[in-house]
Amino acid sequence: MFELGPALHHAFELLRGFAVSHGMSRDAALLLSKIIQANILVLGVAVIPMVLVYAERKVSAFMQARLGPMHVGPWGILQTFADGVKLMLKEDVVPAGADKWVHFLAPVVAVAPVFVCFAPVPFGQGLTPVDLDTGVLFIFAVSGVSTIGILLGGWGSGNKFSMLGGLRAAAQLLSYEIPRVLSVIPVLMWYGSMSLGTIALAQHGRWLGILPKWFIFYPVIGQIAFLIFLISSVAETNRTPFDIPEAESELVAGFHTEFSGLKFALFFLAEYAYVFLASAMGTALFLGGGDGFLLPNGILPSWIWFLLKTFALVFLFLWFRWTYPRLRIDRLMQFCWKFLMPWSFVNIALTGLLVLVRQR
Amino acid sequence: MSPSLSSLVFYAFSAMLVVTAVGVVTLRNVFYSAVSLVAALTIVAGLFVLLGADFLGAAQVLVYVGGILIIMLFVIMLSQQPRDLLQRQTNDQWIAGLFFALTIGVSLVRAFTYFVSQTPPDGDIAPTSASLGRLLLGEMLLPFEAVSLILLAALVGAVVFGQEKNA
Amino acid sequence: MSQTTTPASAADVFPQAPPEKGMFISLGPQHPSTHGVLRVAITVDGETVTSAQPDIGYLHRATEKLAEKRTYPQIIVLTDRLDYLAAMTNNWSYCLAVEKMLAVPIPERAEYLRIIVGELQRIASHCVFLGTYGIDIGAYTPFLVAFGRERERILDLFEELCGARLTYNYIRIGGVMADTPAGWEKKVREFVKEMWGHIQEYDTLLTYNPIFMDRTQNIGLMTPEMAVAWGITGPNLRATGFRADVRKDDPYSLYPQLKFDIPVGKQGDCWERYQVRVSEMRESLKMIEQCLDRIQPGEWMAKLPKVYRVPAGEGYGHLEAPRGDLGFYIISDGSPSPYRMHIRAPSFINLQVLQQLLKGWKVADVVAILGSVDIVLGEVDR
Amino acid sequence: MTNDEILAVITGKFPEIQAIPKVQGQARGDELYLSVPAQKLPELCRFLRFDPPLAFDFLSFVTSVDWKDRYEVVYYLVSTLHKHKLVLKVNLADRATPEVPTVTDVWAGADWQEREIFDLMGITFRGHYNLRRILLPDDWEGHPLRKDYVPTPDRYD
């Protein structure tokens, strides 16, 4: 019904026409509309973590027989907004022994990649900000940069323990990036393209009328790929049961303990934005993007379906955090190198076989 | 992207690239030069994308910035003591160095001007990952496998050297 | 019925001075997982701990010196603040020692009330351990469930009984402070019925959670010889497979008439120290049910003069507190206040084994082992 | 084993140790009380610990008492196998430098308890591997549990 994609497209056409008619060159108008689109995306990515923080506090509350934030706004909806304002007003403490520039740069390098990563994500029909041909690879590449932010955070805090904490967190991110990339390769092999838009589109349609042709329902390879992707995404976003930075703060200070005020808010925003990014990628790659099920097509627009499925995956992330204790650091590394990686290789081989069979 | 806009972006990127590259060499603090190396390589990736090699740009960021430079930062953070971080970057043979740089510079400039005049800038920017993939696993299969063998040998070597004596 | 302990070999049991080399980490005294004001100085060689020296005394209130200046009933208030998570059993143990010297008969209803209240206190104390140990290992929900929901129910019952939630001062020399309010026993019975389901919940939530087991099994192993040599008592000792419980070995009150057994572990690792406490909660529930069935209305306080003098002499009374064998050694010179009172605090003696127990384990395990020993600093520092 | 059998076994090996009889009207538990000279302590403890019929493998607690004219160190022993109990009392006549040999080599559990007695009562334990203050700050003067202890005024400096 009210698909947002074409409507927005049409709006920008009108805008460009209006600008050109008022003496603006075609290029300038095009650039202007691109800038406006980018701003909408950045605003969206800045708002989503606030929704996620609220969701996390409410979900954890109900899991623990309590109510969660209730005072600020009806059912505590404005609580995260209030937290944001509080963090902005907090004094930004830079430790004496710290390296001022690196302390300033760390949150920037940790947060900036997140905004860029959302470009190729297909929010719905026609709602892909930039349908890059190498979408998946682009996201993995740019999200790798934020690991450097964590290292800078560890170094910029000036104390030996937070540096150790930063190193351990970076080691975890590096090692879990590999199974995450490997787990997505079967999807790319099967659909022959790296653009998230085309992959999501290719998953529309039904098997025998009822089972949607999502990659997760492909016999063995779908489930293995999805599970490895989910597990390594939880590890990539430093969330329980892989939250080494928090565990480190028990013994060795975590890398972001020396940051306060807005800088801490940026690290916080990065974590939740990555959770949303991982869920969005999971939806696009494994759950068929904007493709609805059960209800006949067209009742709900595709971007609503996309958001529903993404929030379902986000709920999984939240659920893990409040039920599982923390893995010890060496078990965590062992799990990655000795369990996730071999299985992702097996999965790639299996998919290769299936692709061969399909070509016959 | 009309020619005037893309050339503007190109010159901006190149200028930033030169600044960060010089920064890598001249910055007194080793950590700062590592960070400016990160910036330099990211800008190189930007240039690749500008030239239409989107796969190469993404791979550059993934491999260099996401992998190699993080290891470099690891090494710097683990090994360096704060005091000997601030070493003087330049030494007294800088005259010989300058002369050598000039000759290399002149020959490079002549080479570029020759190439630029030869190849007309092609028009549309087509996605390259498919053709690159076919090339790598088609004609170039043998060198591709050879390179992976060399990398494997390097990996095993690093682990052996990294092994602590008593382990 | 407990098996004999072979003489401990010197190497693995006896303390040696800490080595000097290795990186030094100071854990505490302000620290999320040391359960109170305790500092543990750890020297680390790479990832493994080479020596650990707990540093205590931050909460020392000289209870033993204070006792010499107070009359016998006034000291009950002091004992509340020793193991502040199990004030009932503190009061009870002190009253046992004094009653043993006074040789005064305790009415049966008072004895049953003491057992009901003592076992409820054990469940509440183990709930606290369950919650905080979950947090040490990284699981946040058990804390809200065990500490928040169950323990609150017990504290409400105690508040209804004696007006206080932590420092009850309910068990007095010769009996109990007051009879139970109307309907109190019915509420306890309801709580006990519900609690059976809750303990089942803990098993699924934490006890048999694969990551929890991975973090705690085969970690912080303790042999029975080492435990007995270090004087360890309570769940920590029983987790090593050594069946020793004051309620069975040196029975007091009406415990001989109750049917309950002593849960025992096998190899004394962190998981079994946790598991023994959870199954002990089940035994406590059994005992409370039996007491509720047998309790009759009647006298709840022995006849004692206003100011009574304990005959000169000495006496040692002890019982099975949630954290181990808590005893009071009292020397009286016939005056209204004791000449000397020594408190055998189980947490104080259990804590010293850390010097031996932490050696050789990884840094990441220190928090798990320290949490599993379950000490309360009020009792350690006295 | 009853108290008398234990007493018989001990006096068999150590003739100079006698039991402390229970005075009429004195409140006391049913344990056997022994008075032990300080220098005989290590040998007796090792005998009590490793002699099979006695097997006192569990040291419940160690404490000390200041009787104004003498100090007294009390050991409360329990055998987990035979379930019998024993109380050893060591009297230290000289008040200037009260000293008792350590028992940490027989029962490791005495480690901190002896340090606490040293800290609060001022009795040194010869041979203890780590004898320093445990509860009070290291620079504390005096031993609070002594009857003649004058509390230093509160310092707010």
Side-chain angles (χ1 to χ4, degrees):
Chain A
M1 262 195 306
F2 22 80
E3 278 292 354
L4 213 51
L8 266 177
H9 212 65
H10 185 56
F12 278 108
E13 280 304 318
L14 286 176
L15 179 75
R16 271 199 288 276
F18 177 77
V20 166
S21 67
H22 279 67
M24 221 177 187
S25 75
R26 274 207 61 72
D27 278 355
L30 185 69
L31 187 64
L32 184 68
S33 66
K34 284 285 181 256
I35 288 172
I36 293 171
Q37 279 168 2
N39 277 342
I40 293 174
L41 183 68
V42 165
L43 269 178
V45 169
V47 164
I48 286 170
M50 289 172 78
V51 173
L52 255 61
V53 168
Y54 174 73
E56 164 128 69
R57 294 172 72 145
K58 275 291 177 187
V59 163
S60 67
F62 292 136
M63 278 188 197
Q64 296 173 348
R66 55 186 174 85
L67 284 176
M70 291 300 273
H71 293 297
V72 186
W75 291 290
I77 290 177
L78 298 180
Q79 175 65 36
T80 343
F81 182 73
D83 286 347
V85 170
K86 173 201 77 175
L87 278 177
M88 279 175 214
L89 301 180
K90 272 265 179 75
E91 187 218 348
D92 175 13
V93 173
V94 179
D99 190 326
K100 195 159 62 63
W101 287 107
V102 176
H103 190 265
F104 169 78
L105 204 62
V108 169
V109 172
V111 166
V114 174
F115 293 101
V116 178
C117 280
F118 274 95
V121 171
F123 289 100
Q125 192 203 347
L127 266 175
T128 316
V130 178
D131 194 356
L132 279 174
D133 175 59
T134 60
V136 175
L137 183 64
F138 176 82
I139 291 183
F140 284 137
V142 175
S143 65
V145 172
S146 65
T147 318
I148 293 187
I150 290 177
L151 275 179
L152 293 182
W155 176 266
S157 311
N159 76 40
K160 177 174 68 172
F161 289 142
S162 66
M163 190 178 79
L164 271 178
L167 286 177
R168 284 190 179 190
Q172 173 195 332
L173 291 182
L174 263 183
S175 45
Y176 273 91
E177 203 172 326
I178 299 166
R180 193 177 185 202
V181 172
L182 290 178
S183 70
V184 169
I185 288 179
V187 181
L188 309 183
M189 286 162 69
W190 188 259
Y191 293 109
S193 139
M194 277 205 279
S195 138
L196 280 165
T198 41
I199 293 176
L201 220 59
Q203 295 182 17
H204 288 218
R206 295 285 176 277
W207 275 322
L208 315 165
I210 32 142
L211 193 59
K213 287 175 76 171
W214 298 345
F215 193 75
I216 193 169
F217 293 128
Y218 279 71
V220 175
I221 51 172
Q223 286 78 25
I224 296 181
F226 179 73
L227 274 179
I228 296 179
F229 177 77
L230 190 66
I231 294 172
S232 33
S233 299
V234 171
E236 274 294 305
T237 51
N238 284 342
R239 285 183 67 85
T240 313
F242 301 96
D243 55 353
I244 287 303
E246 205 175 313
E248 284 311 318
S249 58
E250 275 166 29
L251 278 172
V252 174
F255 68 89
H256 48 62
T257 41
E258 298 292 347
F259 291 89
S260 58
L262 202 52
K263 289 180 182 158
F264 181 74
L266 287 182
F267 273 116
F268 216 61
L269 185 131
E271 183 193 335
Y272 281 101
Y274 270 119
V275 167
F276 188 75
L277 174 69
S279 318
M281 276 180 71
T283 316
L285 292 171
F286 296 97
L287 302 178
D291 174 28
F293 59 95
L294 296 181
L295 295 171
N297 273 352
I299 296 280
L300 279 180
S302 62
W303 56 277
I304 295 274
W305 278 119
F306 183 86
L307 284 182
L308 275 179
K309 283 182 244 174
T310 311
F311 276 111
L313 285 181
V314 165
F315 178 74
L316 268 183
F317 277 76
L318 304 186
W319 193 3
F320 289 153
R321 172 160 188 191
W322 299 107
T323 42
Y324 280 111
R326 197 174 301 120
L327 267 171
R328 211 175 48 186
I329 179 128
D330 54 338
R331 303 286 297 178
L332 178 131
M333 289 302 179
Q334 207 178 355
F335 178 69
C336 166
W337 296 94
K338 291 187 179 151
F339 180 77
L340 285 187
M341 211 104 66
W343 274 105
S344 45
F345 286 135
V346 163
N347 201 18
I348 291 174
L350 267 176
T351 324
L353 212 65
L354 283 180
V355 167
L356 210 60
V357 163
R358 187 180 65 171
Q359 261 152 15
R360 274 289 175 283
Chain B
M1 290 264 262
S2 67
S4 68
L5 195 63
S6 68
S7 55
L8 181 75
V9 171
F10 170 73
Y11 287 121
F13 275 4
S14 319
M16 277 201 293
L17 180 59
V18 166
V19 164
T20 44
V22 165
V24 171
V25 176
T26 54
L27 277 174
R28 296 183 63 78
N29 183 330
V30 177
F31 199 81
Y32 287 168
S33 52
V35 170
S36 60
L37 184 57
V38 166
L41 290 175
T42 328
I43 294 166
V44 165
L47 286 178
F48 280 145
V49 170
L50 204 61
L51 291 170
D54 49 5
F55 180 83
L56 201 58
Q60 157 92 358
V61 171
L62 185 68
V63 168
Y64 276 102
V65 176
I68 293 175
L69 269 160
I70 288 186
I71 307 298
M72 266 195 216
L73 284 175
F74 259 61
V75 165
I76 290 173
M77 284 167 81
L78 279 180
S79 59
Q80 289 301 346
Q81 301 304 334
R83 57 169 168 38
D84 58 22
L85 262 174
L86 308 165
Q87 264 141 352
R88 242 164 48 77
Q89 298 280 8
T90 54
N91 49 33
D92 44 21
Q93 290 114 355
W94 63 275
I95 304 138
L98 188 66
F99 190 69
F100 182 72
L102 272 179
T103 49
I104 298 288
V106 164
S107 52
L108 274 177
V109 166
R110 269 196 46 68
F112 280 159
T113 45
Y114 171 72
F115 268 109
V116 165
S117 58
Q118 287 300 323
T119 53
D122 50 11
D124 60 346
I125 300 169
T128 60
S129 43
S131 50
L132 213 65
R134 228 168 274 112
L135 187 70
L136 271 181
L137 291 177
E139 285 161 44
M140 296 293 177
L141 185 58
L142 186 62
F144 181 69
E145 293 307 331
V147 163
S148 62
L149 274 182
I150 296 169
L151 286 180
L152 185 62
L155 192 66
V156 169
V159 167
V160 164
F161 290 136
Q163 211 73 21
E164 273 168 27
K165 298 298 165 291
N166 44 31
Chain C
M1 62 196 168
S2 65
Q3 67 283 38
T4 173
T5 55
T6 55
S9 65
D12 71 338
V13 167
F14 293 106
Q16 294 90 24
E20 272 53 41
K21 72 170 180 55
M23 192 170 101
F24 172 76
I25 295 179
S26 163
L27 191 70
Q30 279 77 25
H31 194 276
S33 66
T34 49
H35 307 281
V37 220
L38 158 74
R39 189 177 78 86
V40 186
I42 303 168
T43 52
V44 174
D45 173 14
E47 269 292 313
T48 48
V49 174
T50 49
S51 92
Q53 270 299 327
D55 169 15
I56 57 171
Y58 294 92
L59 205 56
H60 177 57
R61 295 150 295 180
T63 315
E64 293 177 359
K65 182 78 177 181
L66 283 176
E68 288 164 14
K69 298 287 184 296
R70 279 167 173 64
T71 66
Y72 284 96
Q74 283 171 336
I75 294 172
I76 300 175
V77 178
L78 284 181
T79 60
D80 280 331
R81 277 124 182 108
L82 287 175
D83 176 355
Y84 41 77
L85 294 176
M88 274 307 177
T89 40
N90 301 345
N91 299 350
W92 193 358
S93 174
Y94 169 74
C95 294
L96 264 183
V98 177
E99 280 151 14
K100 188 181 267 187
M101 292 173 70
L102 279 173
V104 66
I106 312 297
E108 200 201 41
R109 180 171 172 79
E111 288 292 3
Y112 276 123
L113 278 178
R114 284 181 171 185
I115 294 180
I116 293 174
V117 155
E119 293 309 325
L120 275 176
Q121 180 69 88
R122 193 187 308 281
I123 295 173
S125 167
H126 285 337
C127 277
V128 173
F129 160 77
L130 202 106
T132 46
Y133 197 51
I135 288 190
D136 290 351
I137 308 287
Y140 293 99
T141 312
F143 180 80
L144 269 306
V145 167
F147 188 94
R149 199 177 48 188
E150 270 70 71
R151 186 164 177 273
E152 280 308 311
R153 293 284 303 281
I154 297 177
L155 296 190
D156 292 345
L157 289 173
F158 283 160
E159 189 171 9
E160 204 177 322
L161 186 65
C162 50
R165 287 168 60 81
L166 269 175
T167 55
Y168 313 111
N169 204 345
Y170 175 66
I171 293 176
R172 300 291 168 80
I173 299 170
V176 283
M177 175 178 91
D179 203 348
T180 56
W184 190 75
E185 277 115 13
K186 197 164 61 57
K187 282 194 183 128
V188 175
R189 203 180 283 275
E190 267 161 35
F191 166 75
V192 167
K193 217 175 353 0
E194 267 175 41
M195 194 55 187
W196 283 106
H198 292 321
I199 296 184
Q200 194 52 35
E201 227 177 276
Y202 303 152
D203 281 351
T204 49
L205 199 59
L206 206 54
T207 321
Y208 298 108
N209 179 317
I211 296 180
F212 179 76
M213 290 163 86
D214 176 61
R215 275 295 294 277
T216 52
Q217 281 189 333
N218 303 322
I219 290 178
L221 293 162
M222 198 195 295
T223 62
E225 292 75 23
M226 178 174 167
V228 171
W230 280 95
I232 292 175
T233 54
N236 298 334
L237 175 62
R238 290 189 284 277
T240 62
F242 192 90
R243 190 180 299 278
D245 187 321
V246 180
R247 292 171 293 184
K248 291 274 187 188
D249 304 342
D250 185 0
Y252 53 94
S253 176
L254 300 176
Y255 276 104
Q257 298 170 11
L258 299 177
K259 281 195 305 305
F260 64 96
D261 52 30
I262 309 288
V264 165
K266 277 182 288 306
Q267 51 179 358
D269 58 9
C270 289
W271 189 77
E272 263 160 24
R273 279 191 283 275
Y274 165 86
Q275 220 274 335
V276 158
R277 290 191 175 91
V278 174
S279 14
E280 254 178 33
M281 283 211 237
R282 290 196 179 88
E283 297 312 315
S284 299
L285 286 178
K286 269 194 235 162
M287 280 185 255
I288 295 174
E289 275 160 359
Q290 288 166 41
C291 286
L292 284 174
D293 300 342
R294 295 191 187 167
I295 192 164
Q296 308 299 340
E299 198 51 48
W300 35 266
M301 185 65 172
K303 294 287 173 289
L304 274 175
K306 206 80 192 82
V307 175
Y308 43 83
R309 294 174 181 284
V310 175
E314 56 199 291
Y316 177 61
H318 65 127
L319 55 65
E320 183 64 32
R323 281 171 185 75
D325 177 355
L326 170 68
F328 284 79
Y329 173 69
I330 298 175
I331 298 177
S332 91
D333 53 2
S335 71
S337 60
Y339 181 77
R340 167 81 165 99
M341 178 177 90
H342 173 68
I343 303 160
R344 195 247 182 232
S347 294
F348 175 67
I349 296 172
N350 292 351
L351 183 59
Q352 58 185 348
V353 80
L354 277 186
Q355 298 167 106
Q356 188 68 39
L357 196 58
L358 284 178
K359 264 193 215 162
W361 294 100
K362 287 201 175 51
V363 172
D365 298 329
V366 164
V367 174
I369 298 171
L370 180 60
S372 70
V373 175
D374 182 23
I375 42 127
V376 166
L377 267 300
E379 197 173 52
V380 169
D381 294 345
R382 286 182 305 262
Chain D
M1 283 173 65
T2 66
N3 287 355
D4 309 336
E5 286 154 1
I6 302 173
L7 182 60
V9 167
I10 294 175
T11 42
K13 188 107 176 10
F14 297 88
E16 68 280 14
I17 293 176
Q18 331 88 5
I20 305 167
K22 181 169 180 184
V23 171
Q24 227 297 324
Q26 181 200 21
R28 206 173 79 170
D30 50 9
E31 302 92 352
L32 168 66
Y33 284 71
L34 292 182
S35 162
V36 178
Q39 68 280 7
K40 289 301 266 182
L41 192 64
E43 199 190 337
L44 172 70
C45 288
R46 207 161 281 102
F47 172 69
L48 290 174
R49 171 75 181 82
F50 297 115
D51 181 52
L54 293 175
F56 281 103
D57 55 357
F58 182 74
L59 169 68
S60 178
F61 65 83
V62 186
T63 189
S64 61
V65 185
D66 171 9
W67 292 103
K68 294 196 175 70
D69 58 348
R70 56 183 169 75
Y71 289 113
E72 183 182 75
V73 180
V74 181
Y75 298 85
Y76 193 95
L77 302 172
V78 173
S79 162
T80 50
L81 179 60
H82 311 306
K83 292 287 176 297
H84 49 236
K85 306 187 184 84
L86 173 65
V87 177
L88 303 181
K89 289 202 170 197
V90 178
N91 284 316
L92 305 169
D94 86 49
R95 288 191 59 80
T97 56
E99 192 178 60
V100 174
T102 179
V103 294
T104 44
D105 46 4
V106 182
W107 298 287
D111 173 9
W112 275 13
Q113 302 185 58
E114 286 178 353
R115 278 181 62 188
E116 184 196 355
I117 295 170
F118 165 72
D119 186 357
L120 299 182
M121 197 63 98
I123 301 170
T124 55
F125 288 81
R126 199 175 44 251
H128 191 290
Y129 77 104
N130 184 13
L131 197 63
R132 42 186 179 75
R133 285 192 184 270
I134 185 165
L135 286 174
L136 299 176
D138 293 342
D139 56 2
W140 189 272
E141 306 98 26
H143 301 287
L145 270 181
R146 286 185 177 177
K147 292 296 180 185
D148 54 12
Y149 175 74
V150 174
T152 52
D154 292 341
R155 294 198 320 244
Y156 295 104
D157 50 2

